[in-house]
Structure formats: C-alpha cells, structure tokens
Amino acid sequence: MSPDFPRLEAKKVTQSYGYRCILNELDLVLHGGEVTALMGSNGAGKTTLMKVLCGLIKPRSGEVALFQAESFSLFTQEGYLFDDLTVEENLNFYRQFFNVSEESLEEMKESFALENLWNMPIRHLSLGQKTRTALARTFLMPASFYFLDEPFGALDQVSHENLLKVIKHLRQEGRHILIATHLMERAQGLFNRILYLEKGKIRE
Amino acid sequence: MSLFWRPFMLLLKKDLLLLKRRSASVVSVIFFSLLIIIIFQIGIDLGEMSPIPFAAPFIWLGSLFGGMLRMSRTFESETRGHVLEGYRLTKGIVLPLYLSKLVLNVFFMVLLQFLMFVVVVALFNIQSPLFYLKMAWLPFVLGAMGFSAVGTTFSGMVLGDSSKDLLLPVIAYPILSPLLIGVIKSFEYAASGDVLSLNPAWISLLIAFDLIYISVSILVFNILLESQ
C-alpha cells in the first residue's frame, strides 16, 4: 500500500438516536486503493456510519481524522438531484460546481449509458435510471473517499458491470470506495475487505 | 474570489432556470397578491381623499402575502432530492448558497412590488405615477431586501418541519413588523396628499434592519444548513 494514498481513521465513534445506540465506540481505518464492503442488517447503522465518516452527521463522541485526503463523495438513494432539471442540466451544474472538465462529464455519460436520458427531467426517470444519474453525479465529484449506499439494487446487468468498471478504475487511482450492500454475490471478487456492522461495532 | 463568484453565479443561474420551469407557481402568487388588493379596493371608498397616501400600504399588503408564499418555497428545489445534504459535502458553499437565494428573493419582491404598483396606479387613478415611483423606489427596495433576508433565513429554519407553510408566517411576521411600519412611515405627505419627501429617520431604520438581518443571517445560515 502506497504511503501517499489517503487514509481515514475513525476512533471510538459513538452515535445514538434517542436511547438507541447505533454506533458504539466504533474504530475503523480505511486506506486508499481499496474497495470495502459494509454489511449489516436493516437499521444496523450503515448509512449513519457513512454520514458520520463524511462529516454529514456529527458523532456524539469520538473523532474522524483524514490523512492525505481531499474530500468525500456520497451516493444515497436520495440522489441529490434536481427533479425539474434534465439529466444534462443536473450533471452540467455539478460539473461546473465541482470545477471538473467536460471530458469527465463525457466519461460519466458513457460509463452509465446516459445518452438516451440526456434531455429527460429527473422526475420522469425510473428508479434504475435515476440511480445511474446519481452515480454519475457521485463519481463526477473529485474525492479521495467514495461512499456508496446500496448502489446495486436498482441497476440492470449492463449498468452493474459499468459501475464495477468505474469502481475498479478509481481503486487503481488510489481512491477508497466503501460500499454498503446486501448483494454480495453481485460484486464477487471486487472487495479487498468485508466489514460487518453489528450492535454498533465493526467486525472484519 | 472565484471561490465565491463561481458557485454563486451557478446557483443563481440554476434557480432562475427552475423559476422559469415553475412559472405557473410564480403566476399564481402574483394573482393571489392582485386579488387581495382588488378586494380591499372594492371595499374602500376614498371619497374626496387623495389616494396617494394609500398607495404604499396597498402595495405592501399585496406584496406581504404573495412574498411570504414565495419565501416558503425558497428551498423547494433543494428539499425534493435532499440536495442540501449533498451541498454540505462541498466546502465554502454556505455564503454563495444563502446570497444566491437572497438575491433571487429580492428580485422577486421588487418585481412583485412593481406589479402591485402598476395595479394600484390603475385602481386608484393616481395622476403622477412616475413622480411617486421616483420617491418610493428607495423604501420599497430596502423593504424588499429586509423582507427577503428574514424570509430566506426563516425558510431555511423551518425546512424540516412538516407544517412549514403555517410556521413561516407565524414566526416571520412579528420580526418583520418594524420593517413594514418603516416602509409605510417613510413617506411624508403634503396637505394635498402628494408625496413631499422621505423621512430620513425611517429610511435609516430600514437600512439598519437590512444590515442587521443580512449579517446575522449569513452568520447563522451554516448552523441552519447543518441542522437539516
């Protein structure tokens, strides 16, 4: 593992909703150049953990430290897309917002087969099409860590294979991709590590 | 400076495009405001009195209700796709985001007041509209800025509440009272009813209100964004 790769360290992270403890003094280290699977039952706290790691939720206690890293990009089912704008308008907005080149946008358009959806408003897309657009938005953002929350569920076989290609490419570039999923069989051989989140703790 | 201007211009451009796409909601707000003025005009008989002292209260009556409807929809496009959460992954977004929303709301309020002005001129048969406008633009623009500063911030504050449309006017109107009184009291009228001049004390109050609420809003907006 290259020492220049980004690293994320979570130490004794605790988060709770009301009396329910979701993350209980959790310790975790993520290295660049790896793909990690995050597994756990429904409500185990996978999404909460991802949001804590990328700073969207402040933990009750503990800390998350970054080394050699720029930023995070997060994919969730919400998509972070504007319903009334087309796929092109959404992705172009984010391209300019993240200050990335038009070539990157073209790559994402091709990778997620968005050509035919290009001029369609988000509100007219199916769940799978919306997921592809949201994934393109996620990967358009330059980041050291990519957190993907259940990305495989709504994708067809071709889109699924395209997503795996993008993930492998990012891994080669030294990025870390953390994927929360129940569908392990759809990504056989992809993961460097498999983590289980149970009772607020990580088990490897 | 491009760290501010680039996202600011992008957000403003995107909001203008979305406003154009949802022009039906803008038109319905304008009709609602017009309807209020027309109903009040039908019910008031001015007799021999000059209509000019009634112009500012009527313009603001319509703008107040229509404007509050617009304010409650300030973050509509962001709430649908949980975009605000996505924004929070980007550093330095708070100031461009707040100011782009504020500028768009000020633009909307100025436009709404101008339309209300045209209707009031027609309904009350005001003889020298350009002279009135020359006097009125300053308190109206200052009023639009203060109204939008409070409306934009409070709209962000009630974002997560299911009854936000009811909550926003309840918490915003009491705070807006000095501003509303200031806009109406800014005018000094001659015995004939014509606008004589603007009262500097009330204009100062409007400027102070705008400066305080815009500054405070910029300071607290980050906290509001994090609480969503």
PDB file of all heavy atoms in Angstrom, chain B residues 111-133:
ATOM      1  N   LEU B 111     -39.962  42.844  -8.182  1.00  0.00           N
ATOM      2  CA  LEU B 111     -40.864  42.628  -9.322  1.00  0.00           C
ATOM      3  C   LEU B 111     -42.326  42.637  -8.859  1.00  0.00           C
ATOM      4  O   LEU B 111     -43.190  43.271  -9.485  1.00  0.00           O
ATOM      5  CB  LEU B 111     -40.525  41.287  -9.987  1.00  0.00           C
ATOM      6  CG  LEU B 111     -41.371  40.919 -11.206  1.00  0.00           C
ATOM      7  CD1 LEU B 111     -40.924  41.723 -12.418  1.00  0.00           C
ATOM      8  CD2 LEU B 111     -41.243  39.427 -11.518  1.00  0.00           C
ATOM      9  N   LEU B 112     -42.581  41.962  -7.746  1.00  0.00           N
ATOM     10  CA  LEU B 112     -43.947  41.887  -7.206  1.00  0.00           C
ATOM     11  C   LEU B 112     -44.448  43.285  -6.823  1.00  0.00           C
ATOM     12  O   LEU B 112     -45.589  43.652  -7.142  1.00  0.00           O
ATOM     13  CB  LEU B 112     -43.956  40.956  -5.986  1.00  0.00           C
ATOM     14  CG  LEU B 112     -45.321  40.596  -5.402  1.00  0.00           C
ATOM     15  CD1 LEU B 112     -46.177  39.839  -6.407  1.00  0.00           C
ATOM     16  CD2 LEU B 112     -45.164  39.743  -4.140  1.00  0.00           C
ATOM     17  N   GLN B 113     -43.584  44.054  -6.170  1.00  0.00           N
ATOM     18  CA  GLN B 113     -43.983  45.404  -5.775  1.00  0.00           C
ATOM     19  C   GLN B 113     -44.245  46.287  -6.983  1.00  0.00           C
ATOM     20  O   GLN B 113     -45.166  47.097  -6.977  1.00  0.00           O
ATOM     21  CB  GLN B 113     -42.887  46.040  -4.924  1.00  0.00           C
ATOM     22  CG  GLN B 113     -42.829  45.460  -3.537  1.00  0.00           C
ATOM     23  CD  GLN B 113     -41.716  46.102  -2.738  1.00  0.00           C
ATOM     24  OE1 GLN B 113     -41.917  47.109  -2.088  1.00  0.00           O
ATOM     25  NE2 GLN B 113     -40.547  45.525  -2.806  1.00  0.00           N
ATOM     26  N   PHE B 114     -43.436  46.112  -8.026  1.00  0.00           N
ATOM     27  CA  PHE B 114     -43.648  46.914  -9.233  1.00  0.00           C
ATOM     28  C   PHE B 114     -45.002  46.573  -9.860  1.00  0.00           C
ATOM     29  O   PHE B 114     -45.745  47.464 -10.259  1.00  0.00           O
ATOM     30  CB  PHE B 114     -42.502  46.674 -10.235  1.00  0.00           C
ATOM     31  CG  PHE B 114     -42.647  47.514 -11.475  1.00  0.00           C
ATOM     32  CD1 PHE B 114     -42.397  48.884 -11.429  1.00  0.00           C
ATOM     33  CD2 PHE B 114     -43.066  46.951 -12.669  1.00  0.00           C
ATOM     34  CE1 PHE B 114     -42.558  49.677 -12.560  1.00  0.00           C
ATOM     35  CE2 PHE B 114     -43.228  47.736 -13.810  1.00  0.00           C
ATOM     36  CZ  PHE B 114     -42.973  49.100 -13.758  1.00  0.00           C
ATOM     37  N   LEU B 115     -45.328  45.287  -9.918  1.00  0.00           N
ATOM     38  CA  LEU B 115     -46.629  44.882 -10.473  1.00  0.00           C
ATOM     39  C   LEU B 115     -47.773  45.417  -9.612  1.00  0.00           C
ATOM     40  O   LEU B 115     -48.785  45.881 -10.135  1.00  0.00           O
ATOM     41  CB  LEU B 115     -46.712  43.350 -10.573  1.00  0.00           C
ATOM     42  CG  LEU B 115     -45.808  42.705 -11.618  1.00  0.00           C
ATOM     43  CD1 LEU B 115     -45.824  41.189 -11.489  1.00  0.00           C
ATOM     44  CD2 LEU B 115     -46.235  43.115 -13.027  1.00  0.00           C
ATOM     45  N   MET B 116     -47.594  45.345  -8.290  1.00  0.00           N
ATOM     46  CA  MET B 116     -48.613  45.880  -7.376  1.00  0.00           C
ATOM     47  C   MET B 116     -48.770  47.391  -7.580  1.00  0.00           C
ATOM     48  O   MET B 116     -49.874  47.918  -7.548  1.00  0.00           O
ATOM     49  CB  MET B 116     -48.244  45.613  -5.913  1.00  0.00           C
ATOM     50  CG  MET B 116     -48.196  44.152  -5.487  1.00  0.00           C
ATOM     51  SD  MET B 116     -49.705  43.273  -5.782  1.00  0.00           S
ATOM     52  CE  MET B 116     -49.191  42.190  -7.078  1.00  0.00           C
ATOM     53  N   PHE B 117     -47.642  48.056  -7.818  1.00  0.00           N
ATOM     54  CA  PHE B 117     -47.650  49.496  -8.048  1.00  0.00           C
ATOM     55  C   PHE B 117     -48.480  49.830  -9.294  1.00  0.00           C
ATOM     56  O   PHE B 117     -49.332  50.729  -9.265  1.00  0.00           O
ATOM     57  CB  PHE B 117     -46.204  50.005  -8.204  1.00  0.00           C
ATOM     58  CG  PHE B 117     -46.083  51.382  -8.761  1.00  0.00           C
ATOM     59  CD1 PHE B 117     -46.381  52.492  -7.974  1.00  0.00           C
ATOM     60  CD2 PHE B 117     -45.685  51.575 -10.078  1.00  0.00           C
ATOM     61  CE1 PHE B 117     -46.278  53.772  -8.502  1.00  0.00           C
ATOM     62  CE2 PHE B 117     -45.592  52.850 -10.603  1.00  0.00           C
ATOM     63  CZ  PHE B 117     -45.895  53.951  -9.818  1.00  0.00           C
ATOM     64  N   VAL B 118     -48.240  49.080 -10.371  1.00  0.00           N
ATOM     65  CA  VAL B 118     -48.976  49.319 -11.628  1.00  0.00           C
ATOM     66  C   VAL B 118     -50.481  49.147 -11.385  1.00  0.00           C
ATOM     67  O   VAL B 118     -51.299  49.967 -11.828  1.00  0.00           O
ATOM     68  CB  VAL B 118     -48.484  48.339 -12.737  1.00  0.00           C
ATOM     69  CG1 VAL B 118     -49.348  48.425 -13.978  1.00  0.00           C
ATOM     70  CG2 VAL B 118     -47.032  48.630 -13.082  1.00  0.00           C
ATOM     71  N   VAL B 119     -50.848  48.106 -10.639  1.00  0.00           N
ATOM     72  CA  VAL B 119     -52.264  47.841 -10.382  1.00  0.00           C
ATOM     73  C   VAL B 119     -52.870  48.927  -9.489  1.00  0.00           C
ATOM     74  O   VAL B 119     -53.981  49.413  -9.752  1.00  0.00           O
ATOM     75  CB  VAL B 119     -52.435  46.437  -9.717  1.00  0.00           C
ATOM     76  CG1 VAL B 119     -53.870  46.187  -9.310  1.00  0.00           C
ATOM     77  CG2 VAL B 119     -51.982  45.360 -10.676  1.00  0.00           C
ATOM     78  N   VAL B 120     -52.120  49.337  -8.464  1.00  0.00           N
ATOM     79  CA  VAL B 120     -52.618  50.396  -7.564  1.00  0.00           C
ATOM     80  C   VAL B 120     -52.799  51.707  -8.333  1.00  0.00           C
ATOM     81  O   VAL B 120     -53.802  52.409  -8.145  1.00  0.00           O
ATOM     82  CB  VAL B 120     -51.658  50.554  -6.354  1.00  0.00           C
ATOM     83  CG1 VAL B 120     -51.906  51.857  -5.604  1.00  0.00           C
ATOM     84  CG2 VAL B 120     -51.813  49.378  -5.413  1.00  0.00           C
ATOM     85  N   VAL B 121     -51.851  52.010  -9.213  1.00  0.00           N
ATOM     86  CA  VAL B 121     -51.968  53.224 -10.030  1.00  0.00           C
ATOM     87  C   VAL B 121     -53.257  53.176 -10.854  1.00  0.00           C
ATOM     88  O   VAL B 121     -54.017  54.156 -10.931  1.00  0.00           O
ATOM     89  CB  VAL B 121     -50.730  53.382 -10.959  1.00  0.00           C
ATOM     90  CG1 VAL B 121     -50.984  54.409 -12.063  1.00  0.00           C
ATOM     91  CG2 VAL B 121     -49.508  53.773 -10.148  1.00  0.00           C
ATOM     92  N   ALA B 122     -53.538  52.019 -11.442  1.00  0.00           N
ATOM     93  CA  ALA B 122     -54.739  51.880 -12.277  1.00  0.00           C
ATOM     94  C   ALA B 122     -56.013  51.905 -11.419  1.00  0.00           C
ATOM     95  O   ALA B 122     -56.984  52.591 -11.773  1.00  0.00           O
ATOM     96  CB  ALA B 122     -54.654  50.564 -13.057  1.00  0.00           C
ATOM     97  N   LEU B 123     -56.004  51.200 -10.294  1.00  0.00           N
ATOM     98  CA  LEU B 123     -57.220  51.101  -9.465  1.00  0.00           C
ATOM     99  C   LEU B 123     -57.585  52.431  -8.807  1.00  0.00           C
ATOM    100  O   LEU B 123     -58.750  52.783  -8.698  1.00  0.00           O
ATOM    101  CB  LEU B 123     -57.035  50.036  -8.378  1.00  0.00           C
ATOM    102  CG  LEU B 123     -57.074  48.563  -8.801  1.00  0.00           C
ATOM    103  CD1 LEU B 123     -56.747  47.672  -7.615  1.00  0.00           C
ATOM    104  CD2 LEU B 123     -58.428  48.200  -9.374  1.00  0.00           C
ATOM    105  N   PHE B 124     -56.562  53.160  -8.343  1.00  0.00           N
ATOM    106  CA  PHE B 124     -56.827  54.407  -7.618  1.00  0.00           C
ATOM    107  C   PHE B 124     -56.680  55.652  -8.500  1.00  0.00           C
ATOM    108  O   PHE B 124     -56.793  56.766  -7.994  1.00  0.00           O
ATOM    109  CB  PHE B 124     -55.885  54.520  -6.417  1.00  0.00           C
ATOM    110  CG  PHE B 124     -56.205  53.552  -5.320  1.00  0.00           C
ATOM    111  CD1 PHE B 124     -55.509  52.374  -5.193  1.00  0.00           C
ATOM    112  CD2 PHE B 124     -57.225  53.822  -4.422  1.00  0.00           C
ATOM    113  CE1 PHE B 124     -55.804  51.487  -4.178  1.00  0.00           C
ATOM    114  CE2 PHE B 124     -57.528  52.929  -3.405  1.00  0.00           C
ATOM    115  CZ  PHE B 124     -56.818  51.747  -3.277  1.00  0.00           C
ATOM    116  N   ASN B 125     -56.403  55.423  -9.764  1.00  0.00           N
ATOM    117  CA  ASN B 125     -56.260  56.525 -10.710  1.00  0.00           C
ATOM    118  C   ASN B 125     -55.255  57.570 -10.222  1.00  0.00           C
ATOM    119  O   ASN B 125     -55.558  58.761 -10.118  1.00  0.00           O
ATOM    120  CB  ASN B 125     -57.648  57.156 -10.959  1.00  0.00           C
ATOM    121  CG  ASN B 125     -57.622  58.052 -12.170  1.00  0.00           C
ATOM    122  OD1 ASN B 125     -56.761  57.910 -13.050  1.00  0.00           O
ATOM    123  ND2 ASN B 125     -58.546  58.999 -12.225  1.00  0.00           N
ATOM    124  N   ILE B 126     -54.060  57.108  -9.882  1.00  0.00           N
ATOM    125  CA  ILE B 126     -53.007  58.019  -9.417  1.00  0.00           C
ATOM    126  C   ILE B 126     -52.456  58.798 -10.613  1.00  0.00           C
ATOM    127  O   ILE B 126     -52.079  58.203 -11.634  1.00  0.00           O
ATOM    128  CB  ILE B 126     -51.908  57.227  -8.674  1.00  0.00           C
ATOM    129  CG1 ILE B 126     -52.490  56.719  -7.351  1.00  0.00           C
ATOM    130  CG2 ILE B 126     -50.667  58.081  -8.413  1.00  0.00           C
ATOM    131  CD1 ILE B 126     -51.620  55.784  -6.576  1.00  0.00           C
ATOM    132  N   GLN B 127     -52.441  60.136 -10.474  1.00  0.00           N
ATOM    133  CA  GLN B 127     -52.155  61.003 -11.621  1.00  0.00           C
ATOM    134  C   GLN B 127     -50.675  61.099 -11.992  1.00  0.00           C
ATOM    135  O   GLN B 127     -50.349  61.248 -13.156  1.00  0.00           O
ATOM    136  CB  GLN B 127     -52.690  62.420 -11.343  1.00  0.00           C
ATOM    137  CG  GLN B 127     -54.203  62.482 -11.178  1.00  0.00           C
ATOM    138  CD  GLN B 127     -54.959  61.990 -12.411  1.00  0.00           C
ATOM    139  OE1 GLN B 127     -54.574  62.300 -13.542  1.00  0.00           O
ATOM    140  NE2 GLN B 127     -56.004  61.195 -12.222  1.00  0.00           N
ATOM    141  N   SER B 128     -49.805  61.049 -10.993  1.00  0.00           N
ATOM    142  CA  SER B 128     -48.378  61.228 -11.312  1.00  0.00           C
ATOM    143  C   SER B 128     -47.578  59.997 -10.854  1.00  0.00           C
ATOM    144  O   SER B 128     -46.814  60.079  -9.876  1.00  0.00           O
ATOM    145  CB  SER B 128     -47.852  62.490 -10.632  1.00  0.00           C
ATOM    146  OG  SER B 128     -48.253  62.475  -9.270  1.00  0.00           O
ATOM    147  N   PRO B 129     -47.762  58.869 -11.532  1.00  0.00           N
ATOM    148  CA  PRO B 129     -47.104  57.634 -11.077  1.00  0.00           C
ATOM    149  C   PRO B 129     -45.586  57.698 -11.100  1.00  0.00           C
ATOM    150  O   PRO B 129     -44.926  57.149 -10.213  1.00  0.00           O
ATOM    151  CB  PRO B 129     -47.625  56.569 -12.047  1.00  0.00           C
ATOM    152  CG  PRO B 129     -48.138  57.305 -13.210  1.00  0.00           C
ATOM    153  CD  PRO B 129     -48.573  58.645 -12.726  1.00  0.00           C
ATOM    154  N   LEU B 130     -45.025  58.372 -12.105  1.00  0.00           N
ATOM    155  CA  LEU B 130     -43.554  58.406 -12.200  1.00  0.00           C
ATOM    156  C   LEU B 130     -42.947  59.202 -11.062  1.00  0.00           C
ATOM    157  O   LEU B 130     -41.905  58.840 -10.523  1.00  0.00           O
ATOM    158  CB  LEU B 130     -43.125  58.973 -13.552  1.00  0.00           C
ATOM    159  CG  LEU B 130     -43.318  58.029 -14.731  1.00  0.00           C
ATOM    160  CD1 LEU B 130     -42.893  58.682 -16.036  1.00  0.00           C
ATOM    161  CD2 LEU B 130     -42.560  56.729 -14.533  1.00  0.00           C
ATOM    162  N   PHE B 131     -43.624  60.270 -10.682  1.00  0.00           N
ATOM    163  CA  PHE B 131     -43.139  61.076  -9.560  1.00  0.00           C
ATOM    164  C   PHE B 131     -43.193  60.243  -8.272  1.00  0.00           C
ATOM    165  O   PHE B 131     -42.263  60.254  -7.461  1.00  0.00           O
ATOM    166  CB  PHE B 131     -43.991  62.348  -9.395  1.00  0.00           C
ATOM    167  CG  PHE B 131     -43.559  63.190  -8.235  1.00  0.00           C
ATOM    168  CD1 PHE B 131     -42.392  63.944  -8.314  1.00  0.00           C
ATOM    169  CD2 PHE B 131     -44.293  63.213  -7.049  1.00  0.00           C
ATOM    170  CE1 PHE B 131     -41.966  64.700  -7.216  1.00  0.00           C
ATOM    171  CE2 PHE B 131     -43.870  63.968  -5.965  1.00  0.00           C
ATOM    172  CZ  PHE B 131     -42.705  64.712  -6.050  1.00  0.00           C
ATOM    173  N   TYR B 132     -44.271  59.485  -8.111  1.00  0.00           N
ATOM    174  CA  TYR B 132     -44.419  58.628  -6.924  1.00  0.00           C
ATOM    175  C   TYR B 132     -43.322  57.562  -6.898  1.00  0.00           C
ATOM    176  O   TYR B 132     -42.689  57.325  -5.869  1.00  0.00           O
ATOM    177  CB  TYR B 132     -45.808  57.962  -6.928  1.00  0.00           C
ATOM    178  CG  TYR B 132     -46.062  57.140  -5.689  1.00  0.00           C
ATOM    179  CD1 TYR B 132     -46.536  57.732  -4.526  1.00  0.00           C
ATOM    180  CD2 TYR B 132     -45.799  55.773  -5.670  1.00  0.00           C
ATOM    181  CE1 TYR B 132     -46.744  56.986  -3.372  1.00  0.00           C
ATOM    182  CE2 TYR B 132     -45.997  55.016  -4.528  1.00  0.00           C
ATOM    183  CZ  TYR B 132     -46.473  55.628  -3.380  1.00  0.00           C
ATOM    184  OH  TYR B 132     -46.665  54.887  -2.248  1.00  0.00           O
ATOM    185  N   LEU B 133     -43.081  56.962  -8.069  1.00  0.00           N
ATOM    186  CA  LEU B 133     -42.080  55.887  -8.158  1.00  0.00           C
ATOM    187  C   LEU B 133     -40.680  56.411  -7.844  1.00  0.00           C
ATOM    188  O   LEU B 133     -39.864  55.723  -7.222  1.00  0.00           O
ATOM    189  CB  LEU B 133     -42.128  55.278  -9.566  1.00  0.00           C
ATOM    190  CG  LEU B 133     -41.520  53.894  -9.717  1.00  0.00           C
ATOM    191  CD1 LEU B 133     -42.209  52.876  -8.826  1.00  0.00           C
ATOM    192  CD2 LEU B 133     -41.613  53.425 -11.169  1.00  0.00           C
TER     193      LEU B 133
END
